[in-house]
Amino acid sequence: NAGVTQTPKFQVLKTGQSMTLQCAQDMNHNSMYWYRQDPGMGLRLIYYSASEGTTDKGEVPNGYNVSRLNKREFSLRLESAAPSQTSVYFCASSEVATRDQPQHFGDGTRLSIL
Amino acid sequence: AQSVTQLGSHVSVSEGALVLLRCNYSSSVPPYLFWYVQYPNQGLQLLLKYTTGATLVKGINGFEAEFKKSETSFHLTKPSAHMSDAAEYFCAVSDWVDTGNQFYFGTGTSLTVIP
């Protein structure tokens, strides 16, 4: 049972470099999400996709772009990485974008920007 | 907007003792509430959820939580702590915004279990 798969698991970038974080789910879920987790701040939503073909900004979208490639895949791109984007990034999915649906998380991508 | 406050960023209990992790929420509509657990270097796993109905919710690994509207609380408990319970715990509330559902997470409580 793969669930939500994120690649890569670890990455080190230099300031100004670009990178795409990949996420794929095999649960036939309609909704997908990207979060960042920073010490003492919990998880904050970056972008989400309620359904295939739609994307919307979350709480902290600046410096990021997303693509919902198909129903399974939802990627997060950093165009010009900054040290403030050093974080652990989590992708999540839910069956539908309703309030009672839990979200299922991947194991995260640990990103360091020097 | 909804919000969640977790009192106590670090909690230590002895093995076999009661676990109590606190969560208070702010919501303008009837809340849907969740508890997640995160083990080191892993993603979040759902422990339990409250949507409607019974206010005492049972989850996995012997955890349960009680929704108390009058206190705007959703505290997580376990009668007897086990070493394997050592992890980070997050409370979350869901909200509907324009085009979809969003979760708002607390800042987390790190649970240490002392042998």
Side-chain angles (χ1 to χ4, degrees):
Chain A
N1 294 337
V4 178
T5 302
Q6 293 184 234
T7 55
K9 295 187 184 304
F10 303 93
Q11 185 70 47
V12 178
L13 294 178
K14 294 181 179 179
T15 298
Q17 287 186 316
S18 62
M19 176 174 184
T20 299
L21 280 60
Q22 307 287 352
C23 175
Q25 50 89 11
D26 63 1
M27 297 174 283
N28 200 35
H29 284 174
N30 289 290
S31 305
M32 298 184 74
Y33 310 81
W34 276 107
Y35 292 89
R36 60 177 290 171
Q37 183 180 30
D38 301 293
M41 301 188 74
L43 280 78
R44 292 180 293 168
L45 183 66
I46 304 171
Y47 272 93
Y48 66 101
S49 172
S51 60
E52 187 179 356
T54 68
T55 61
D56 288 282
K57 295 178 180 180
E59 181 183 356
V60 289
N62 290 346
Y64 305 95
N65 287 300
V66 291
S67 296
R68 183 75 183 266
L69 305 173
N70 48 55
K71 190 173 185 179
R72 289 187 64 247
E73 298 173 287
F74 188 38
S75 64
L76 177 72
R77 183 162 178 83
L78 287 69
E79 290 290 352
S80 178
S84 61
Q85 294 177 305
T86 293
S87 188
V88 182
Y89 291 86
F90 288 98
C91 178
S93 69
S94 64
E95 188 170 347
V96 291
T98 56
R99 292 181 61 215
D100 63 329
Q101 289 295 313
Q103 295 182 9
H104 303 263
F105 287 80
D107 285 340
T109 295
R110 285 146 186 83
L111 182 61
S112 293
I113 299 164
L114 306 177
Chain B
Q2 322 282 30
S3 66
V4 168
T5 301
Q6 291 184 242
L7 295 176
S9 57
H10 299 276
V11 171
S12 294
V13 300
S14 297
E15 190 174 16
L18 171 71
V19 176
L20 171 61
L21 304 182
R22 299 178 185 274
C23 173
N24 289 88
Y25 67 89
S26 172
S27 175
S28 58
V29 297
Y32 287 7
L33 297 157
F34 301 78
W35 273 101
Y36 283 85
V37 61
Q38 183 181 33
Y39 298 103
N41 298 315
Q42 294 187 25
L44 279 68
Q45 300 175 31
L46 180 68
L47 275 176
L48 49 82
K49 69 175 184 177
Y50 169 79
T51 54
T52 58
T55 56
L56 183 62
V57 181
K58 295 186 183 300
I60 63 172
N61 301 338
F63 284 93
E64 62 183 34
E66 186 171 11
F67 170 63
K68 292 187 176 180
K69 183 179 179 180
S70 61
E71 299 177 8
T72 61
S73 69
F74 190 56
H75 302 331
L76 182 71
T77 61
K78 182 174 180 178
S80 177
H82 191 274
M83 295 298 293
S84 61
D85 294 328
E88 186 100 20
Y89 292 80
F90 291 93
C91 183
V93 61
S94 70
D95 191 15
W96 178 265
V97 288
D98 294 336
T99 57
N101 180 48
Q102 290 192 22
F103 272 37
Y104 295 89
F105 286 88
T107 53
T109 297
S110 177
L111 177 66
T112 299
V113 182
I114 303 166

